[in-house]
Amino acid sequence: MTALRIGIAGIAIESSTFSPHRTHLADFTVTRGDALLARYKWMGAPWTTGVEWVPLLHAVSLPGGAVEPEVYDALEAEIVERAKAAGPLDGLFFDIHGAMSVVGRTDAEARLAAVIREAVGPDTLISASMDLHGNVSRELAETVDLITCYRMAPHEDAWESRERAAYNLVERLHDGGRPRKAWVQVPVLLPGEKTSTRVEPAKSLYGRIPAVEALPGVVDAAIWVGYAWADEPRCRAAVVVTGDDEEVITAQARELAEAYWRARDDFAFVAPTGTLDECLATALASDARPFLISDSGDNPTAGGAGDVSWTLSRLLVVEELRLGKASAIYASIVDPEAVAAAFAAGEGAEVMVRAGGRIDAGPSGPVAVAGTVHSLLPGDPVGGDIAVIRTGGLHVILTSRRKPYHVISDFTALGLSPADTDLVIVKIGYLEPELYDLAADWLLALTPGGVDQDLLRLGHHGVRRPLFPFDSDMADPDLTPELL
């Protein structure tokens, strides 16, 4: 029996077009060869027997601003070159996020899929794995043969979803060939913090997928929330049901799309919200410790610049923190100049730095931080050199490169104990699992930045209208799926 030859390629990033940050080649982790194969723990699983995996190129970046065109072009060109040089491929595993924006362009993933399709030919089956915050245009859905996405937000099933996409590809290559897809977009665009699968209605909506997937004639079912912080026509929710029974997949796609539309007014923030001042007042008055606050408008894992200093400027004037009557950690601000000054001074030294507001100066420019260098961590794999400055009861984390703070070990590596701190303020949206478990209580502060939760004040003009919530009184849409 001849081995199946399956290529692996993709570019994965979500890009806020409302952030002045720009994504460069150095922001990507690019893997080829054995390093690319090592990304996938299911290599060698029984279902992969008889498969020759052909690693082309994969690039992944922390979410950020739009990708510079020359960076995208270079990555695309190498993928195409490697695909052509690989020889005949039975299949291709297309590992993407689905919300990449390239400066001056739209629908980047559809373009990437199209040039890969041209390179590998019409007979190669392409299976895409995506984030549920990706966007599925008709062009993308039509170009690939199988397409799925995560079913959990937070994305605890990310690697499971990738494996499902690869498994379905192998199964269809063995038996069944190219399936049909029932695709429909739903004119709703909401932030992830309103669509977490931890709470209703997303919990029940996504909870319906396994039963649909189990129906005879169905290969996969998927619901995309879409990406709220890009201003492109494709940005909206979508449903795709894949399979061989056209009547079943069409009916099921319509049911899921209509359920999503009916629930549009029921989506609410995953935690109580308020202005930053309201959240701080509530947290300081509470006995719950640690009390976590999401600085949501500049969340780097949604595409924020990571250096919006507006929240820091407010924290520095909170009397309880200034006088040390309460303790707090602020994670974090990217500012390599401020970090370099702290390293030059050394641990225990008194310093005054100006931090933040250099990439995204809109809400607030650089903020003066005077205090003691609490700790220094050189060469963090993500954040580069990292410094902590203590001022009163507030510990401010400064990084050389954009870095999310999602796990406890990132704090303890800096000599900080969030479990023993009164307030922990993090640039994040919904809390990732370790922080969620840590929090005795939690509020989501509606702060400014490139991923502002208040979509109506961001100024979308490129999305296709009507679109909820921008047109809250719009008529019910036609949600008839298209067979592709």
Side-chain angles (χ1 to χ4, degrees):
M1 180 176 170
T2 304
L4 295 173
R5 302 187 74 244
I6 299 177
I8 303 175
I11 303 175
I13 181 175
E14 57 184 336
S15 312
S16 169
T17 61
F18 297 99
S19 171
H21 177 264
R22 291 292 177 263
T23 300
H24 301 276
L25 187 58
D27 296 310
F28 283 97
T29 297
V30 181
T31 49
R32 307 167 180 85
D34 290 343
L36 175 48
L37 296 180
R39 273 177 52 85
Y40 307 103
K41 304 305 179 189
W42 34 262
M43 292 291 175
W47 61 267
T48 66
T49 300
V51 176
E52 177 193 350
W53 298 98
V54 182
L56 304 177
L57 177 146
H58 188 266
V60 60
S61 172
L62 186 70
V67 179
E68 293 287 7
E70 63 272 17
V71 174
Y72 171 83
D73 290 343
L75 294 171
E76 177 198 274
E78 185 174 345
I79 289 173
V80 168
E81 180 183 359
R82 288 176 175 272
K84 289 179 177 178
L89 295 174
D90 299 289
L92 186 130
F93 173 46
F94 192 38
D95 187 357
I96 59 176
H97 179 285
M100 171 171 56
S101 289
V102 177
V103 176
R105 303 176 188 173
T106 59
D107 208 356
E109 281 84 2
R111 168 175 165 155
L112 182 60
V115 297
I116 289 174
R117 167 62 73 199
E118 185 178 357
V120 299
D123 297 329
T124 300
L125 260 59
I126 299 177
S127 181
S129 172
M130 298 175 64
D131 190 303
L132 64 84
H133 297 125
N135 305 294
V136 187
S137 66
R138 185 189 186 282
E139 291 76 13
L140 174 61
E142 187 174 37
T143 303
V144 301
D145 301 298
L146 299 110
I147 186 167
T148 193
C149 69
Y150 310 159
R151 297 170 180 175
M152 297 177 71
H155 306 316
E156 297 173 68
D157 67 330
W159 290 100
E160 175 186 333
S161 297
R162 292 184 179 96
E163 182 172 357
R164 183 174 65 252
Y167 173 84
N168 287 342
L169 175 59
V170 171
E171 288 295 294
R172 296 301 295 198
L173 287 169
H174 282 309
D175 183 25
R178 180 172 281 117
R180 299 300 299 274
K181 300 179 295 292
W183 165 87
V184 57
Q185 290 185 316
V186 185
V188 174
L189 185 62
L190 296 169
E193 283 63 37
K194 282 191 172 181
T195 51
S196 170
T197 58
R198 282 182 178 141
V199 297
E200 299 295 349
K203 183 177 182 180
S204 292
L205 283 169
Y206 280 86
R208 297 172 63 159
I209 291 176
V212 175
E213 184 182 58
L215 292 171
V218 175
V219 174
D220 188 85
I223 302 171
W224 285 261
V225 170
Y227 182 64
W229 296 291
D231 195 17
E232 299 187 28
R234 64 175 179 160
C235 295
R236 55 185 51 211
V239 173
V240 180
V241 180
T242 306
D244 299 309
D245 190 319
E246 294 181 3
E247 185 175 340
V248 170
I249 64 174
T250 301
Q252 293 300 319
R254 183 174 194 123
E255 284 189 24
L256 291 174
E258 289 179 345
Y260 198 104
W261 173 252
R262 288 194 302 271
R264 66 192 182 282
D265 285 312
D266 300 330
F267 289 101
F269 284 113
V270 69
T273 62
T275 66
L276 178 64
D277 289 346
E278 289 168 345
C279 292
L280 289 170
T282 299
L284 288 166
S286 172
D287 293 328
R289 295 292 184 263
F291 199 114
L292 269 71
I293 297 175
S294 294
D295 179 9
S296 65
D298 191 37
N299 172 15
T301 50
D307 89 323
V308 172
S309 56
W310 186 85
T311 294
L312 176 59
S313 70
R314 302 298 304 156
L315 293 173
L316 290 170
V317 297
V318 173
E319 182 177 3
E320 291 87 342
L321 300 180
R322 187 170 55 81
L323 298 178
K325 296 179 180 179
S327 59
I329 297 170
Y330 182 54
S332 58
I333 292 278
V334 57
D335 193 316
E337 292 182 24
V339 171
F343 268 74
E347 288 188 6
E350 298 296 314
V351 294
M352 198 288 284
V353 300
R354 296 184 65 79
R358 302 183 198 277
I359 302 170
D360 191 345
S364 174
V367 172
V369 181
T372 304
V373 179
H374 172 79
S375 61
L376 299 171
L377 178 66
D380 179 84
V382 178
D385 290 346
I386 300 175
V388 179
I389 296 177
R390 177 177 55 80
T391 174
L394 175 65
H395 290 79
V396 180
I397 301 175
L398 303 173
T399 65
S400 298
R401 296 196 300 267
R402 298 165 64 251
K403 175 182 171 73
Y405 278 80
H406 291 177
V407 296
I408 305 302
S409 60
D410 282 338
F411 294 91
T412 56
L414 299 171
L416 301 172
S417 176
D420 300 312
T421 302
D422 296 326
L423 277 59
V424 180
I425 304 98
V426 184
K427 288 183 184 289
I428 198 171
Y430 52 65
L431 295 183
E432 294 294 329
E434 286 193 24
L435 298 185
Y436 185 78
D437 293 339
L438 170 74
D441 206 346
W442 168 39
L443 289 172
L444 193 147
L446 301 177
T447 52
V451 291
D452 195 323
Q453 297 289 330
D454 187 346
L455 301 186
L456 302 187
R457 70 184 180 191
L458 274 175
H460 289 76
H461 59 82
V463 292
R464 197 164 75 252
R465 307 287 286 269
L467 180 67
F468 182 88
F470 304 93
D471 305 290
S472 58
D473 58 351
M474 65 181 285
D476 289 344
D478 179 4
L479 295 175
T480 302
E482 184 176 354
L483 274 170
L484 302 174

